């Protein structure tokens, strides 16, 4: 190009109200093809999003250019889930355009809040793991770390939950129905991803090599999303892959004239990225899920190796150029894929390829539950990815040789550590541990238990691999955007800068002693409760009383998280009043908020959802309670709702059985927004408690070693019911049909599960939990002291910024340098 405009760097529209108005109208007219007077809300929202995009593009292109030229080591974050939440507000904040946009829209007669509400959040994740990935890409951009996030552009994200008769019904989440204004589709950058077929050997000029002859393939089309750093001019890329039928499919079927077959083939291909699997803790070994996993990592590795790396790159130097971070086991098939690329395609010898691979991957584990550790059957792997199975066998053979060298012919140990189990299942966590340069857990306790239990023998053999990186959350979304009033208060006290240096919240400690500051802090909390009330009134018709303690448990529904323990507390309070043992006037008024989705195939979890709604229906309508207890369970808890619920909460329920919750990140968001935690010594609760101090945290329940001890001694939950009168009464009340119109059978499975099985020891921790809740009531009675504790929670939890997590990844695992 010779035209001067083509040679000049791309420039952003002027960052003024007039500039914004002009760009917005241009987008409305040119992109949507409508005049302002005729524009629908969707038109306006789309044009607004396009305008914000326009401001970010110049930076983005510049960062892409720099990243291509930069020799610095980059991070490729491989994650099957990104639970992003709404984008508009975040992108406005990051680009420093919020005020300009608000004014510009007002000048066009548009209320920006209406635009905010119009956005459909991309729910491309199940819960903690996916939300963590979203926080991490935000922090990577904010810290200017050269990086790309790779994942899947599911056409349908996490299901939309509705309640019918109190029971969960799942509806498809058609988040793309109106199109997404934030993405850039790049069909020209598509990769071909192949499946099935067979392997063969061939003579490659005297060298016998293996190759894969796949049976079918699909096109992986990338959609790029901008990830702006917080007001630092940096824009990173999130690249999500969508599956489409290849030309070959079309051609073959076109030639055969079989229209029906042509459409079937296309649907088959597109199914791969059609829907997010809604299980987060008990993955099903489904073929489509393995297809999804291989689809996105194969496309990502091909993209990195052929599009990002220079053509003449010396592969020996790959570990200095890139690290692939495996977000749990979902992307672990990337390990044999990298070996296949290096050995079969790039013709490196096995040992050289393995040496490179071992330095290019690191693995984050997010669970302690045995059933959450993914395995793939040898049969399925062999059918779908025959070459990868061969590679896994060879990795395993060589690994077991090393085990033998080190520990001798200990057959039991060899069986225990084998990547391929006796039951012909490939243990993906083991593969990741063997292949990865580092393995990390997500909280101190979790990392310790990984080493001591889940991966104990691997720790014995290669202790240097193991490390911890405690999770974190982005303060931009979860403090600044979710809680603007608290943010203002903090800025008034500390000045700016704390949003990118969250440890500065420490300076609030002295303000906790200032009565005026406490009063202002309490006002913020009250305003956040009113805001939540408005949201819930409009959304679901729920009302939140001003003077109630707001007690919140929002997270996936899982037995180990123990929503039933929370329910037993509510039923106990209820039973005390209706039995006349406690005067209603002695009850601390409380509103209990639940938010939880259950995996559609998880029957017990769905029954507990039903029970929460059933208890709510009775408690909320019993006149004897005089409205002093209220259960609120808004359906379809998601990131958008979290941003309203968390800032309003007084009490954060983090009550998993010790040793089961890897970390938790909701616990961090609550503390940072000034809620006090009632919790067990589990996951990151341990670190929260250490930081905020015992006086500002309600600890209860068994510790992890106590849990182990009781389990080993033979846990009999019935004995705990016998020993605690109130516990028995609560269980009896549920079992009697009091919450199911007299029908005893509805919730009998929940009660008998607790009495006769109780894998997560709800009954063993009940007494201690109820006592802790009494301490909560007593503490809340002195509202000013409570506020002081709440301020100290904020002041002392700056550690939980995801910026700190990313710095820890850099120091302990990646050894990358942030870009200039
Ligand atoms: O690390 C993010 C998040 C943790 O905070 C939660 O404690 C943990 O349950 C969650 N794990 C998953 C399921 N993982 N697997 N496998 O979402 O990760």
């Amino acid at each position: 190009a010779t035209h001067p405009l083509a040679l000049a760097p791309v420039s952003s529209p002027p960052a003024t109200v007039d500039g914004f108005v002009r760009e917005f109208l241009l987008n409305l007219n040119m992109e949507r093809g409508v005049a302002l007077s005729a524009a629908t809300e969707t038109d306006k929202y789309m044009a607004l999003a396009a305008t914000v995009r326009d401001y970010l593009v110049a930076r983005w292109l510049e960062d892409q250019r720099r990243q291509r030229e930069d020799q610095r080591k980059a991070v490729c974050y491989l994650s099957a889930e990104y639970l992003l939440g709404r984008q508009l507000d975040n992108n406005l904040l990051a680009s420093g355009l919020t005020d300009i946009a608000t004014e510009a829209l007002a000048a066009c007669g548009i209320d920006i809040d209406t635009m905010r509400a119009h956005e459909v959040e991309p729910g491309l994740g199940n819960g903690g793991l996916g939300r963590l990935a979203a926080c991490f890409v935000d922090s990577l951009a904010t810290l200017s770390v050269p990086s790309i996030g790779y994942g899947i552009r599911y056409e349908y994200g996490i299901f939309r939950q509705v309640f019918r008769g109190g029971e969960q019904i799942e509806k498809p989440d058609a988040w793309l129905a109106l199109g997404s204004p934030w993405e850039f589709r790049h069909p020209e950058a598509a990769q071909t991803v192949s499946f099935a077929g067979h392997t063969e050997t061939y003579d490659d000029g005297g060298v016998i090599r293996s190759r894969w002859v796949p049976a079918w393939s699909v096109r992986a089309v990338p959609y790029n999303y901008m990830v702006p750093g917080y007001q630092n001019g940096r824009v990173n890329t999130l690249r999500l892959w969508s599956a489409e039928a290849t030309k070959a499919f079309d051609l073959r079927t076109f030639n055969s004239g079989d229209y029906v077959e042509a459409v079937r083939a296309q649907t088959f291909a597109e199914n791969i990225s059609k829907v997010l699997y809604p299980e987060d803790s008990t993955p099903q070994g489904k073929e489509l899920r393995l297809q999804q996993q291989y689809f996105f990592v194969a496309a990502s590795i091909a993209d990195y190796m052929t599009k990002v790396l220079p053509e003449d790159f010396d592969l020996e130097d790959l570990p200095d150029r890139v690290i692939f971070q495996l977000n749990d086991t979902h992307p672990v098939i990337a390990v044999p894929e990298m070996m296949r690329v290096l050995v079969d395609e790039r013709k490196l010898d096995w040992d050289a390829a393995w040496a490179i691979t071992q330095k290019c991957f690191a693995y984050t584990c997010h669970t302690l539950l045995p059933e959450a550790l993914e395995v793939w059957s040898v049969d399925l792997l062999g059918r779908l990815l025959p070459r990868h199975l061969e590679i896994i066998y060879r990795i395993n053979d060589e690994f077991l040789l090393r085990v033998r060298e080190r520990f001798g012919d200990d057959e039991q140990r060899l069986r225990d550590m084998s990547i391929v189990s006796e039951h012909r299942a490939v243990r993906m966590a083991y593969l990741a541990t063997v292949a990865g340069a580092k393995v990390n857990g997500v909280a101190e306790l979790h990392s310790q238990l990984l080493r001591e239990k889940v991966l104990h023998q691997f720790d014995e053999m290669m202790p240097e691999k193991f490390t911890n990186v405690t999770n974190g959350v982005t303060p931009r979304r979860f403090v600044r955007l979710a809680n603007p009033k608290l943010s203002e208060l903090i800025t008034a006290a500390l000045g700016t800068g704390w949003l990118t240096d969250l440890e500065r919240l420490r300076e609030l400690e002295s303000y906790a002693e200032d009565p005026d500051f406490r009063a202002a802090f309490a006002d913020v909390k009250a305003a956040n409760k009113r805001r939540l009330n408005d949201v819930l009134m409009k959304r679901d018709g729920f009302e939140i009383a001003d003077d109630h303690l707001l007690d919140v448990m929002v997270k996936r529904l899982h037995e180990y998280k123990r929503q039933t323990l929370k329910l037993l507390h509510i039923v106990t309070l209820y039973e005390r009043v209706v039995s006349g043992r406690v005067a209603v006037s002695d009850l601390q008024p409380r509103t209990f908020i639940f938010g939880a989705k259950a995996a559609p195939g998880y029957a017990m979890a769905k029954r507990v959802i039903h029970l929460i709604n059933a208890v709510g229906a009775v408690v909320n309508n019993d006149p004897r309670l005089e409205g002093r207890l209220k259960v609120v369970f808004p359906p379809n808890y998601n990131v958008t709702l979290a941003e309203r619920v968390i800032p309003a909460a007084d009490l954060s329920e983090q009550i998993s059985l010790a040793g089961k919750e890897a970390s938790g990140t909701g616990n961090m968001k609550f503390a940072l927004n000034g809620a006090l935690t009632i919790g067990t010594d589990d996951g990151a609760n341990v670190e929260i408690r250490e930081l905020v101090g015992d006086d500002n945290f309600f600890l209860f329940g068994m510790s992890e070693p106590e849990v182990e001890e009781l389990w080993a001694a033979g846990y009999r939950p019935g004995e705990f019911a016998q020993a605690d009168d109130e516990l028995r009464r609560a269980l009896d009340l549920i079992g009697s049909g009091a919450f199911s119109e007299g029908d005893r059978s509805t919730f009998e499975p929940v009660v008998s599960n607790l009495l006769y099985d109780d894998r997560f020891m709800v009954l063993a921790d009940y007494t201690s939990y109820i006592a802790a809740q009494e301490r909560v009531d007593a503490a809340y009675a002195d509202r000013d002291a409570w506020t002081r504790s709440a301020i100290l929670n904020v002041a002392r939890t700056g550690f939980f910024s995801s910026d700190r997590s990313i710095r820890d990844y850099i120091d302990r695992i990646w050894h990358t340098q942030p870009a200039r």
Side-chain angles (χ1 to χ4, degrees), residues 145-395:
V145 180
S147 56
I148 310 179
Y150 283 113
I152 303 176
R153 179 184 177 271
Y154 300 103
E155 195 181 325
Y156 294 89
I158 184 70
F159 63 85
R160 194 162 54 79
Q161 178 191 54
V162 294
F163 295 142
R164 207 168 287 153
E167 294 186 67
Q168 170 177 297
I169 308 284
E170 302 90 27
K171 301 271 185 187
D173 162 50
W175 72 285
L176 286 169
L178 298 173
S180 166
W182 301 107
E183 63 188 20
F184 293 81
R185 173 185 149 90
H186 281 284
E188 80 296 343
Q191 297 289 345
T192 301
V193 179
S194 302
F195 293 92
H198 63 276
T199 62
E200 60 188 24
T201 49
Y202 68 104
D203 188 340
D204 182 25
V207 184
I208 302 299
R209 297 187 174 279
S210 295
R211 71 180 160 211
W212 177 21
V213 186
W216 54 275
S217 48
V218 298
R219 246 156 57 93
V221 177
Y223 285 72
N224 293 337
Y225 288 73
M226 291 187 271
V227 184
Y230 173 70
Q231 300 186 357
N232 65 349
R234 174 96 196 179
V235 184
N236 278 357
T237 302
L238 175 63
R239 185 160 298 152
L240 303 183
W241 300 97
S242 177
E244 295 184 7
T246 55
K247 284 270 181 335
F249 258 127
D250 298 346
L251 195 65
R252 203 179 55 198
T253 42
F254 178 77
N255 287 343
S256 73
D258 188 344
Y259 169 73
V260 173
E261 180 56 21
V263 174
R264 197 197 68 80
Q266 187 168 341
T267 310
F268 178 79
E270 288 170 3
N271 264 345
I272 291 182
S273 56
K274 185 66 77 183
V275 61
L276 168 80
Y277 270 96
E279 284 88 23
D280 64 343
S281 302
T282 38
Q284 311 284 313
K286 294 270 171 61
E287 179 161 352
L288 181 60
R289 190 174 167 106
L290 182 57
Q291 287 175 10
Q292 290 185 336
Q293 296 182 351
Y294 179 65
F295 165 76
F296 99 89
V297 299
S300 306
I301 287 181
D303 183 66
Y304 185 80
M305 301 291 276
T306 64
K307 296 259 158 49
V308 183
L309 271 189
E311 237 171 66
D312 55 350
F313 189 80
D314 183 352
L315 291 172
E316 305 279 335
D317 297 334
L318 197 61
D320 299 327
R321 191 51 93 79
V322 67
I323 179 97
F324 291 92
Q325 186 67 37
L326 303 166
N327 196 27
D328 216 82
T329 50
H330 318 145
V332 170
I333 196 70
V335 168
E337 171 64 4
M338 179 62 96
M339 285 300 287
R340 188 191 69 77
V341 169
L342 295 180
V343 174
D344 295 3
E345 291 183 359
R346 304 289 182 108
K347 316 239 162 134
L348 263 59
D349 75 51
W350 175 275
D351 290 341
W354 183 237
I356 294 170
T357 299
Q358 278 194 299
K359 291 189 207 124
C360 285
F361 287 94
Y363 161 54
T364 307
C365 177
H366 292 268
T367 190
L368 284 162
L369 302 181
E371 68 266 32
L373 292 173
E374 253 181 334
V375 294
W376 290 109
S377 82
V378 164
D379 292 342
L380 173 56
L381 261 174
R383 204 163 4 99
L384 201 64
L385 301 168
R387 179 65 183 133
H388 298 77
L389 182 61
E390 286 177 1
I391 292 171
I392 291 170
Y393 270 126
R394 177 149 176 202
I395 293 173

Side-chain angles (χ1 to χ4, degrees), residues 128-129 132 280 328 366-367 372 442 471 560 661-665:
L129 174 148
L132 185 77
D280 64 343
D328 216 82
H366 292 268
T367 190
V442 289
N471 283 166
Y560 84 81
E661 185 70 88
S663 164
T665 45

